[in-house]
Amino acid sequence: MKTYVIGIDFGTDSARGILYHLTSLRVEKQVLAEFPRWKKGLYCKPENNQYRQHPLDYIEALAEIFNGLLSDLSKEERLQIKAIGTNTTGSTPVAVDAEVQPLALLEEFKDNPNAMFVLWKDHTALKESDEINQILKTYSPDYSLYSGGIYSSEWYWSKITHIIREDEAVLNASYSWLEQSDWVPNYLCGNTAIDLVKRNRCAAGHKAMWNEAHEGLPSPAFLLELEPKFERYQLPFYQETFTSDAVFGTIDPSIAEKYGLSKDLKITVGAIDAHHGAVGAGISPNILVKVMGTSTCDMLIALKNMEEIIVDGICGQVDGSIIPDYIGYEAGQSAYGDVFQWFKQLQMKTMIDILGDTLNKEDMERWDERFFTILTEQASKLNPQADDLVFTDYFNGRRTPDANLALKSAADGFSLSTEPGHIFKALVEATAFGSRSIIERFQAFNVNIAGVIAIGGIAEKSPYAVQVLADILQREINVLKSDQVCALGSVVFASTAIGAFESIATAQQKICPRIARIYKPNLKNKEVYETLYTRYLELAAV
């Protein structure tokens, strides 16, 4: 008899679900569901760094995924789906009422962006993160010790503080706050009791300064010093956290009945998407997994019984945040694929403004499909030179090393001979220089990196970008044979939770995809990239 599990990965633009057959060890079906409100740009103000997502986008995406994955299954086969694992973006918190319902699902808040999920890339809380960092400098214990020593505007407490200051109605109506990675499994279980929410250690540790070393979350006294309005809540929000191999609960009976699923179907504890991606990529000690999407997330693991290494300026190190019984290290860049999309939109805007009425759908699709192909062809013909155009990659601020989301990108080396291919080449190199600075930060604290695995949209779709990365890092880059690695990570946890495998490591050996391609560094570019990287660091220091 066939046995299945489902893995669901909530990204920035869409959710992706896979139906995994545990007997044959293969993906039987996958479904992509876009977020319609997000696609229209609703509730977002890019000029203010405001990015919000409506919970209905997530609910509708789940329905589309279930309908798509289950459409070809018999009644008996649907009952053989034993578990669902999920992951989401983060830090993406939302205000909820006493029944764990996002406020935006209530009639009076349905169009209020402050009542929606505050997406990971939302930087409206710069002021609040500055205040948190000021308090942290003099506070004992040092809650930022395991969060890289700097708290970011992208993270949980910064965003919550900003919203409760800005919107009295949301403050008064909210009972608590949940990460998206906690809300999704809670929704699937139909739980309406806040005390029964199993908060995932991944988001709690990396985004909310939770750590066993200082007995959980920052103290009520710390939060009240930051903002007295926190007295509105029962603090701390939670104390216990769970790793993704734990079972969150069983599926909501109404969802089970609607789709013909077993009422015993297990829902596992969630996590941040990139962390499940690292597991799905087969992460092991000293192997850096780099998720190359709209932003990047770089992850390492180390055994707990090794001498503790505290790395300054990263996005945290947390026991069990990636794999139980290992310390999970996270770093990353706040803009990666977003940098290339910015350049694309910049070039498209004037053309559309001039020719908009005369451009048909086919013209726009051809432009969209060919844009990066043409730029890549142009950039590939340019041999790197010491006086080339250089950018910094801080288009959305700097996440690592040493978070500073107020930073702007800078460039040096423009001339009247600069063409689009030169700019694209420099942008690709800038993202690779940012990656190198992250690796050098780990190395500065004696964290060994023996290999690099690249996953995500850029790794899959842009051989040019990956080759430039290999040349600048002077390391081999392994790209995997799968476009659903994050969802596969959720499958690893879901299958282990139901006892299909004896351990996470065994599940990884069976489920994780093979290497599709190895990019080897081009030694002839080594010297010139050393010069360009030095210029990048000088420009970053300005």
Side-chain angles (χ1 to χ4, degrees):
M1 182 174 291
K2 293 183 177 180
T3 301
Y4 300 97
V5 294
I6 289 174
I8 305 177
D9 165 35
F10 282 80
T12 300
D13 302 319
S14 60
R16 293 161 292 278
I18 60 174
L19 179 68
Y20 194 85
H21 184 204
L22 284 174
T23 305
S24 59
L25 296 175
R26 70 171 185 267
V27 177
E28 292 232 330
K29 196 169 187 181
Q30 61 185 52
V31 173
L32 182 145
E34 293 185 329
F35 301 145
R37 295 163 189 80
W38 170 259
K39 191 173 182 179
K40 294 177 182 177
L42 299 181
Y43 315 116
C44 298
K45 295 180 179 178
E47 67 277 11
N48 295 336
N49 288 312
Q50 176 182 304
Y51 297 95
R52 310 291 165 82
Q53 290 186 329
H54 202 290
L56 286 176
D57 271 358
Y58 305 155
I59 292 171
E60 291 167 7
L62 281 168
E64 187 175 345
I65 286 170
F66 282 138
N67 284 324
L69 292 181
L70 305 178
S71 61
D72 298 326
L73 296 185
S74 67
K75 179 179 178 181
E76 291 73 21
E77 287 174 326
R78 293 186 183 207
L79 293 173
Q80 294 309 309
I81 300 174
K82 299 299 184 181
I84 298 174
T86 64
N87 64 75
T88 79
T89 66
S91 179
T92 301
V94 68
V96 296
D97 64 13
E99 296 184 342
V100 206
Q101 182 168 222
L103 297 188
L105 294 178
L106 305 177
E107 181 65 25
E108 61 268 36
F109 291 105
K110 65 178 183 179
D111 293 315
N112 184 343
N114 292 329
M116 300 173 189
F117 286 87
V118 186
L119 192 65
W120 64 268
K121 66 190 286 184
D122 186 296
H123 291 168
T124 53
L126 285 169
K127 176 177 178 290
E128 286 74 16
S129 64
D130 286 344
E131 292 179 35
I132 291 173
N133 284 310
Q134 285 299 316
I135 297 173
L136 286 169
K137 288 178 181 179
T138 60
Y139 210 87
S140 183
D142 180 3
Y143 293 120
S144 69
L145 180 63
Y146 298 96
S147 298
I150 302 174
Y151 200 74
S152 170
S153 65
E154 291 184 334
W155 297 349
Y156 190 74
W157 297 116
S158 300
K159 292 175 173 179
I160 295 173
T161 306
H162 177 75
I163 298 295
I164 66 176
R165 286 176 174 175
E166 184 175 82
D167 198 319
E168 197 77 17
V170 168
L171 169 67
N172 291 333
S174 60
Y175 186 80
S176 188
W177 288 75
L178 260 65
E179 285 280 4
Q180 183 193 10
S181 48
D182 291 327
W183 179 78
V184 167
N186 190 78
Y187 170 81
L188 289 172
C189 290
N191 174 53
T192 58
I194 195 73
D195 291 341
L196 296 182
V197 176
K198 290 185 177 179
R199 313 277 186 148
N200 74 83
R201 185 169 300 178
C202 178
H206 288 284
K207 312 304 177 185
M209 296 190 285
W210 182 95
N211 200 284
E212 289 178 328
H214 49 244
E215 300 180 349
L217 291 174
S219 68
F222 177 90
L223 294 175
L224 290 170
E225 181 176 342
L226 169 65
E227 174 50 63
K229 289 181 179 180
F230 273 105
E231 67 180 0
R232 166 74 176 76
Y233 301 110
Q234 182 178 339
L235 299 174
F237 286 165
Y238 56 90
Q239 292 178 304
E240 190 175 10
T241 64
F242 300 83
T243 52
S244 285
D245 58 329
V247 174
F248 192 105
T250 54
I251 195 165
D252 182 346
S254 66
I255 296 177
E257 183 177 358
K258 180 178 180 179
Y259 296 105
L261 301 169
S262 168
K263 293 182 179 180
D264 296 323
L265 188 154
K266 292 179 172 60
I267 309 297
T268 51
V269 170
I272 298 171
D273 49 3
H275 293 246
H276 274 201
V279 174
I283 193 170
S284 59
N286 304 118
I287 299 299
L288 179 78
V289 175
K290 186 174 187 64
V291 182
M292 301 166 62
T294 53
S295 65
T296 74
C297 194
D298 298 354
M299 287 150 295
L300 290 162
I301 61 171
L303 284 169
K304 282 198 304 182
N305 59 5
M306 295 176 64
E307 182 180 352
E308 186 175 49
I309 299 173
I310 305 295
V311 183
D312 289 341
I314 63 171
C315 301
Q317 50 195 86
V318 182
D319 175 13
S321 64
I322 299 175
I323 293 180
D325 299 320
Y326 287 85
I327 302 297
Y329 294 87
E330 178 194 339
Q333 294 160 270
S334 55
Y336 204 88
D338 272 355
V339 174
F340 311 137
Q341 287 298 322
W342 161 79
F343 187 49
K344 176 181 177 180
Q345 292 164 7
L346 183 70
Q347 296 223 67
M348 289 181 68
K349 187 177 188 314
T350 302
M351 180 193 73
I352 293 172
D353 287 346
I354 296 172
L355 303 174
D357 292 339
T358 64
L359 291 171
N360 57 38
K361 183 180 179 181
E362 289 73 21
D363 291 331
M364 292 301 299
E365 288 178 350
R366 187 163 57 251
W367 169 276
D368 192 61
E369 290 173 1
R370 293 283 292 160
F371 181 82
F372 286 117
T373 301
I374 296 298
L375 278 181
T376 297
E377 290 173 357
Q378 294 172 354
S380 298
K381 295 175 182 177
L382 301 172
N383 292 320
Q385 305 293 329
D387 60 351
D388 281 350
L389 176 64
V390 174
F391 276 94
T392 58
D393 53 317
Y394 307 146
F395 284 76
N396 201 24
R398 182 178 64 212
R399 181 180 296 165
T400 312
D402 304 319
N404 185 343
L405 281 307
L407 284 179
K408 305 295 184 184
S409 182
D412 173 63
F414 278 104
S415 74
L416 290 177
S417 64
T418 300
E419 297 182 355
H422 295 100
I423 297 175
F424 183 65
K425 168 183 168 292
L427 292 174
V428 172
E429 290 168 346
T431 57
F433 290 145
S435 298
R436 176 170 169 176
S437 70
I438 290 171
I439 287 178
E440 290 183 349
R441 176 55 60 92
F442 279 115
Q443 291 175 324
F445 285 83
N446 298 315
V447 176
N448 179 41
I449 296 175
V452 179
I453 296 173
I455 63 174
I458 304 298
E460 298 156 16
K461 299 174 183 177
S462 180
Y464 172 71
V466 183
Q467 184 60 57
V468 170
L469 180 65
D471 291 351
I472 288 173
L473 297 183
Q474 282 297 300
R475 292 173 176 270
E476 290 187 355
I477 309 294
N478 295 326
V479 174
L480 301 183
K481 189 177 182 179
S482 175
D483 59 353
Q484 298 296 344
V485 179
C486 292
L488 282 173
S490 295
V491 165
V492 167
F493 286 116
S495 59
T496 306
I498 61 171
F501 303 103
E502 62 182 15
S503 67
I504 298 296
T506 302
Q508 285 181 290
Q509 291 171 5
K510 299 290 186 180
I511 293 172
C512 295
R514 300 185 304 276
I515 295 172
R517 182 173 177 181
I518 300 174
Y519 290 80
K520 297 181 180 293
N522 188 339
L523 295 177
K524 76 174 185 178
N525 291 330
K526 181 178 180 180
E527 185 175 344
V528 68
Y529 274 138
E530 288 296 328
T531 300
L532 291 173
Y533 182 59
T534 298
R535 289 179 55 205
Y536 165 88
L537 293 176
E538 292 170 349
L539 194 60
V542 173

